[in-house]
């Protein structure tokens, strides 16, 4: 027998509906990024939820780990943490970039003063990439894909 309606629409489920409505009308993490002067496409289209504290510490939960091919292959862990300040992310954890067959953690991302480049800090190294690469929210890929070898040679060419 089906459950009567008054049992389904109990006060607690009504509260849950209100909660779902209020969270869905809040800013998305992509909007938060643009509010902070960063491109929305820094994170793939798999953000499940996020939290942002008043001092900028954030936690982003993805539905699953993702690969995204920019000029380099990026890997996003399911949980990504860091600190957001205007034009930059520091203390970043959970995003790696593949460099010459090795995965390296990206520690920080800073928007250049002219707004045209992003500087990625990887250990002692830093590399600039055009902001335009991150304009669109990229698709979350479960696998690195077959084109990563081509992309690596492409990024080698662009670095020459
Ligand atoms: C950096 O992030 C870690 C978590 O990954 C956190 O425990 C630590 O407090 C953060 N450090 C700063 C200086 O924000």
């Amino acid at each position: 027998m089906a459950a009567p309606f008054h049992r389904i629409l109990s006060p607690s489920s009504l509260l849950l509906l209100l909660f779902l409505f209020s969270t869905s009308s809040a800013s998305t993490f992509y909007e938060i990024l643009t509010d902070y002067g960063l491109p929305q496409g820094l994170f793939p289209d798999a953000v499940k939820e996020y939290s942002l504290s008043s001092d900028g510490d954030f936690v982003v939960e993805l539905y699953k780990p993702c690969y995204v091919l920019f000029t380099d292959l990026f890997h996003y862990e399911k949980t990504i943490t860091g600190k957001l300040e205007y034009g930059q992310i520091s203390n970043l954890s959970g995003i790696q970039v593949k460099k010459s067959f090795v995965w390296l953690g990206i520690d920080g991302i800073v928007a250049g003063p002219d707004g045209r480049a992003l500087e990625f800090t990887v250990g002692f190294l830093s590399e600039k990439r055009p902001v335009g690469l991150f304009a669109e929210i990229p698709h979350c890929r479960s696998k690195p894909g077959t084109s990563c070898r081509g992309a690596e040679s492409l990024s080698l060419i662009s670095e020459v």
Side-chain angles (χ1 to χ4, degrees):
M1 257 189 102
F5 262 123
H6 69 270
R7 299 242 354 236
I8 297 169
L9 284 176
S10 65
S12 60
S13 61
L14 215 62
L15 276 178
L16 180 68
L17 278 176
L18 279 174
F19 173 75
L20 289 176
F21 178 77
S22 62
T23 52
S24 66
S25 63
S27 301
T28 64
F29 192 68
Y30 309 103
E31 290 165 343
I32 300 284
L33 285 171
T34 55
D35 286 349
Y36 276 81
L38 294 164
Q40 60 177 358
L42 277 174
F43 282 75
D45 64 351
V47 174
K48 184 181 172 195
E49 58 191 17
Y50 72 91
S51 65
L52 176 66
S53 76
S54 54
D55 58 1
D57 288 324
F58 70 86
V59 179
V60 171
E61 286 289 335
L62 302 182
Y63 285 103
K64 57 178 184 178
C66 299
Y67 290 95
V68 173
L69 183 62
F70 296 107
T71 49
D72 305 285
L73 186 63
F74 278 36
H75 176 255
Y76 296 79
E77 289 171 20
K78 211 160 170 283
T79 305
I80 298 150
T81 62
K83 189 179 177 76
L84 259 178
E85 285 163 282
Y86 192 81
Q88 74 171 62
I89 297 175
S90 56
N91 200 27
L92 184 62
S93 170
I95 308 179
Q96 294 89 32
V97 59
K98 197 172 184 191
K99 284 283 167 193
S100 310
F101 311 106
V102 184
W103 287 104
L104 301 169
I106 297 175
D107 303 311
I109 303 169
V110 182
D114 60 0
R116 291 169 62 174
L118 287 180
E119 192 167 317
F120 293 83
T121 310
V122 178
F124 297 112
L125 308 170
S126 68
E127 278 198 327
K128 285 189 178 151
R129 291 287 178 263
V131 167
L133 261 183
F134 306 91
E136 304 294 327
I137 299 169
H139 181 59
C140 169
R141 294 175 6 175
S142 305
K143 291 184 176 163
T146 50
S147 54
C148 55
R149 200 169 294 160
E152 263 168 28
S153 48
L154 199 149
S155 79
L156 280 179
I157 291 164
S158 70
E159 279 159 16
V160 168

